[in-house]
Every structure is written in C-alpha cells, then in structure tokens.
Coordinates of all heavy atoms in Angstrom, one line a residue:
S24 N 137.3 103.9 145.4 CA 136.5 105.0 145.8 C 136.6 106.2 144.9 O 135.6 106.9 144.6 CB 136.9 105.6 147.3 OG 136.6 104.5 148.2
T25 N 137.8 106.5 144.4 CA 138.0 107.5 143.4 C 137.3 107.3 142.1 O 136.7 108.1 141.5 CB 139.5 107.8 143.2 OG1 140.1 108.1 144.5 CG2 139.7 109.0 142.3
L26 N 137.3 106.0 141.7 CA 136.6 105.6 140.4 C 135.1 105.9 140.7 O 134.5 106.5 139.8 CB 136.8 104.1 140.2 CG 137.9 103.7 139.3 CD1 137.9 102.1 139.3 CD2 137.8 104.2 137.9
V27 N 134.6 105.5 141.8 CA 133.2 105.7 142.1 C 132.9 107.2 142.1 O 131.8 107.6 141.6 CB 132.8 105.0 143.4 CG1 131.3 105.4 143.8 CG2 132.9 103.5 143.4
K28 N 133.7 108.0 142.7 CA 133.5 109.4 142.7 C 133.4 110.0 141.3 O 132.5 110.8 141.1 CB 134.7 110.0 143.5 CG 134.8 111.6 143.4 CD 136.1 112.0 144.1 CE 136.3 113.4 143.9 NZ 137.6 113.8 144.6
Y29 N 134.2 109.6 140.4 CA 134.2 110.1 139.0 C 133.2 109.5 138.1 O 132.8 110.0 137.1 CB 135.6 110.1 138.4 CG 136.4 111.2 139.1 CD1 137.4 110.9 140.0 CD2 136.3 112.6 138.7 CE1 138.2 111.9 140.5 CE2 137.0 113.5 139.3 CZ 138.0 113.2 140.2 OH 138.7 114.2 140.8
V30 N 132.7 108.3 138.5 CA 131.6 107.6 137.7 C 130.3 108.2 138.0 O 129.4 108.4 137.1 CB 131.7 106.1 138.0 CG1 130.4 105.4 137.4 CG2 132.8 105.5 137.3
G31 N 130.0 108.5 139.3 CA 128.7 109.0 139.7 C 127.7 107.9 139.8 O 127.8 107.1 140.8
N32 N 126.9 107.7 138.9 CA 125.9 106.6 138.9 C 126.6 105.3 138.6 O 127.0 105.0 137.5 CB 124.8 106.8 137.9 CG 123.8 105.7 137.9 OD1 123.8 104.8 138.7 ND2 122.8 105.9 137.1
T33 N 126.9 104.5 139.6 CA 127.7 103.3 139.5 C 126.9 102.2 138.8 O 127.5 101.2 138.4 CB 128.4 102.8 140.8 OG1 127.2 102.6 141.7 CG2 129.3 103.8 141.4
N34 N 125.6 102.3 138.7 CA 124.8 101.1 138.2 C 125.3 100.8 136.8 O 125.3 99.6 136.4 CB 123.4 101.4 138.2 CG 122.8 101.4 139.6 OD1 123.3 100.7 140.4 ND2 121.8 102.1 139.8
Q35 N 125.6 101.7 135.9 CA 126.0 101.5 134.6 C 127.3 100.8 134.5 O 127.5 100.0 133.6 CB 126.0 102.8 133.8 CG 126.4 102.7 132.4 CD 126.5 104.0 131.7 OE1 126.1 105.0 132.2 NE2 126.9 104.0 130.4
Y36 N 128.2 101.1 135.4 CA 129.5 100.5 135.3 C 129.9 99.6 136.5 O 131.0 99.2 136.7 CB 130.6 101.7 135.3 CG 130.4 102.5 134.1 CD1 130.0 103.9 134.2 CD2 130.8 102.1 132.8 CE1 129.9 104.7 133.1 CE2 130.7 102.9 131.7 CZ 130.2 104.2 131.9 OH 130.1 105.0 130.8
K37 N 128.9 99.1 137.2 CA 129.1 98.2 138.3 C 130.0 97.0 138.0 O 130.9 96.9 138.8 CB 127.7 97.8 138.8 CG 127.7 97.0 140.1 CD 126.2 96.7 140.5 CE 126.2 96.1 141.8 NZ 124.8 95.9 142.3
E38 N 129.7 96.3 137.0 CA 130.5 95.1 136.8 C 131.9 95.4 136.3 O 132.9 94.7 136.7 CB 129.8 94.2 135.7 CG 128.6 93.5 136.2 CD 128.8 92.6 137.5 OE1 129.8 91.9 137.5 OE2 128.0 92.8 138.4
S39 N 132.1 96.5 135.7 CA 133.4 97.0 135.3 C 134.3 97.4 136.5 O 135.4 97.1 136.6 CB 133.3 98.2 134.3 OG 132.7 97.8 133.1
I40 N 133.6 98.1 137.4 CA 134.3 98.5 138.6 C 134.7 97.2 139.5 O 135.8 97.1 139.9 CB 133.5 99.5 139.4 CG1 133.4 100.8 138.6 CG2 134.2 99.8 140.8 CD1 132.4 101.8 139.3
V41 N 133.8 96.3 139.5 CA 134.0 95.0 140.2 C 135.2 94.3 139.5 O 136.1 93.8 140.2 CB 132.8 94.1 140.2 CG1 133.2 92.7 140.7 CG2 131.7 94.7 141.2
T42 N 135.3 94.3 138.2 CA 136.4 93.6 137.5 C 137.7 94.3 137.8 O 138.7 93.6 138.0 CB 136.1 93.6 136.0 OG1 134.9 92.9 135.7 CG2 137.2 93.1 135.2
I43 N 137.7 95.7 137.8 CA 138.9 96.4 138.1 C 139.3 96.1 139.5 O 140.5 95.8 139.8 CB 138.7 97.9 137.9 CG1 138.6 98.2 136.5 CG2 139.8 98.7 138.6 CD1 138.2 99.6 136.1
G44 N 138.4 96.1 140.5 CA 138.7 95.7 141.8 C 139.3 94.3 142.0 O 140.3 94.1 142.6
Q45 N 138.8 93.3 141.2 CA 139.3 92.0 141.2 C 140.7 92.0 140.7 O 141.6 91.3 141.2 CB 138.4 91.0 140.5 CG 137.1 90.8 141.2 CD 136.1 90.0 140.3 OE1 136.0 90.1 139.2 NE2 135.3 89.1 141.0
Y46 N 141.0 92.7 139.6 CA 142.4 92.8 139.1 C 143.3 93.4 140.1 O 144.5 93.2 140.1 CB 142.4 93.5 137.8 CG 142.2 92.6 136.6 CD1 140.9 92.4 136.0 CD2 143.2 91.8 136.0 CE1 140.7 91.6 135.0 CE2 143.0 91.0 135.0 CZ 141.7 90.9 134.4 OH 141.6 90.0 133.4
L47 N 142.8 94.3 140.9 CA 143.6 94.9 142.0 C 143.7 94.1 143.2 O 144.3 94.5 144.2 CB 143.0 96.3 142.3 CG 143.1 97.4 141.1 CD1 142.3 98.6 141.6 CD2 144.6 97.7 140.8
G48 N 143.0 92.9 143.2 CA 143.1 92.0 144.3 C 142.0 92.1 145.4 O 142.1 91.6 146.5
V49 N 140.9 92.7 145.0 CA 139.8 92.9 146.0 C 138.6 92.0 145.6 O 138.2 92.0 144.4 CB 139.3 94.4 145.9 CG1 138.2 94.6 147.0 CG2 140.4 95.4 146.3
P50 N 138.1 91.2 146.5 CA 137.0 90.3 146.1 C 135.8 91.2 145.7 O 135.6 92.3 146.2 CB 136.7 89.6 147.4 CG 138.0 89.7 148.2 CD 138.6 91.0 147.8
K51 N 134.9 90.5 145.0 CA 133.7 91.2 144.4 C 132.9 91.8 145.6 O 132.5 92.9 145.5 CB 132.8 90.2 143.6 CG 131.6 90.8 143.1 CD 130.8 89.8 142.3 CE 129.5 90.4 141.7 NZ 128.8 89.5 140.8
E52 N 132.6 91.0 146.6 CA 131.7 91.6 147.7 C 132.3 92.8 148.4 O 131.6 93.7 148.8 CB 131.4 90.5 148.7 CG 130.5 89.4 148.1 CD 129.2 89.9 147.5 OE1 128.6 90.8 148.2 OE2 128.8 89.4 146.5
E53 N 133.7 92.8 148.5 CA 134.3 93.9 149.2 C 134.3 95.1 148.3 O 134.0 96.2 148.7 CB 135.8 93.5 149.5 CG 136.4 94.6 150.4 CD 137.8 94.1 151.0 OE1 138.1 93.0 151.0 OE2 138.5 95.0 151.4
T54 N 134.4 94.9 147.0 CA 134.4 96.0 146.0 C 133.0 96.6 146.0 O 132.8 97.9 146.1 CB 134.7 95.6 144.6 OG1 136.1 95.1 144.6 CG2 134.6 96.7 143.6
L55 N 131.9 95.8 146.1 CA 130.5 96.2 146.1 C 130.3 97.0 147.4 O 129.6 98.0 147.4 CB 129.6 95.1 146.0 CG 129.5 94.3 144.7 CD1 128.7 93.1 144.7 CD2 129.1 95.3 143.6
G56 N 130.9 96.5 148.5 CA 130.8 97.3 149.8 C 131.4 98.7 149.7 O 130.9 99.6 150.2
I57 N 132.6 98.7 149.1 CA 133.2 100.0 148.9 C 132.4 101.0 148.1 O 132.2 102.2 148.4 CB 134.7 99.9 148.3 CG1 135.6 99.2 149.3 CG2 135.3 101.3 147.9 CD1 136.9 98.7 148.6
M58 N 131.8 100.4 147.0 CA 131.0 101.2 146.1 C 129.8 101.8 146.9 O 129.4 102.9 146.6 CB 130.5 100.4 144.9 CG 131.6 100.1 144.0 SD 131.2 98.8 142.7 CE 129.9 99.7 141.9
E59 N 129.2 101.1 147.8 CA 128.0 101.5 148.5 C 128.4 102.4 149.7 O 127.6 103.3 150.0 CB 127.3 100.3 149.1 CG 126.6 99.4 148.1 CD 125.9 98.2 148.6 OE1 125.7 98.1 149.9 OE2 125.6 97.3 147.9
E60 N 129.5 102.2 150.3 CA 129.8 103.0 151.5 C 130.9 104.1 151.4 O 131.3 104.7 152.4 CB 130.3 102.0 152.6 CG 129.3 101.0 152.9 CD 129.7 100.0 154.0 OE1 130.6 100.3 154.8 OE2 129.1 98.9 154.0
W61 N 131.5 104.3 150.2 CA 132.6 105.2 150.1 C 132.1 106.6 150.5 O 131.0 107.0 150.5 CB 133.1 105.2 148.7 CG 132.2 106.1 147.7 CD1 131.0 105.7 147.2 CD2 132.5 107.4 147.3 NE1 130.5 106.7 146.4 CE2 131.4 107.8 146.5 CE3 133.5 108.3 147.6 CZ2 131.4 109.0 145.9 CZ3 133.4 109.6 147.0 CH2 132.4 109.9 146.1

C-alpha cells in the first residue's frame, strides 16, 4: 500500500509492484487487489 501511495499512477509500474509482492510472499491476484483497494 505504501509503494502504491508513492507511485501514484500504478499502471506504469504494475508488473514491478506485483513482482515485489511475490518476493514478499503475496500472490499476484492479491497484490493486484491491494493495488486497487488500498
């Protein structure tokens, strides 16, 4: 959520945020959900 906050428009970095989420143990769909609902 903090990443999304400082990124602003997440479309440009969507896959990168998903990758970070996966390295932190969060499945892709859950990361996408956080990005949409934070």
Side-chain angles (χ1 to χ4, degrees):
S24 294
T25 305
L26 269 177
V27 172
K28 172 182 170 180
Y29 286 103
V30 167
N32 180 1
T33 57
N34 288 333
Q35 181 179 355
Y36 297 109
K37 186 177 189 174
E38 290 304 315
S39 297
I40 295 170
V41 167
T42 300
I43 289 171
Q45 288 173 326
Y46 272 95
L47 294 172
V49 180
K51 179 178 181 174
E52 292 305 317
E53 191 170 340
T54 299
L55 292 172
I57 292 168
M58 290 170 62
E59 290 178 14
E60 298 178 24
W61 80 281

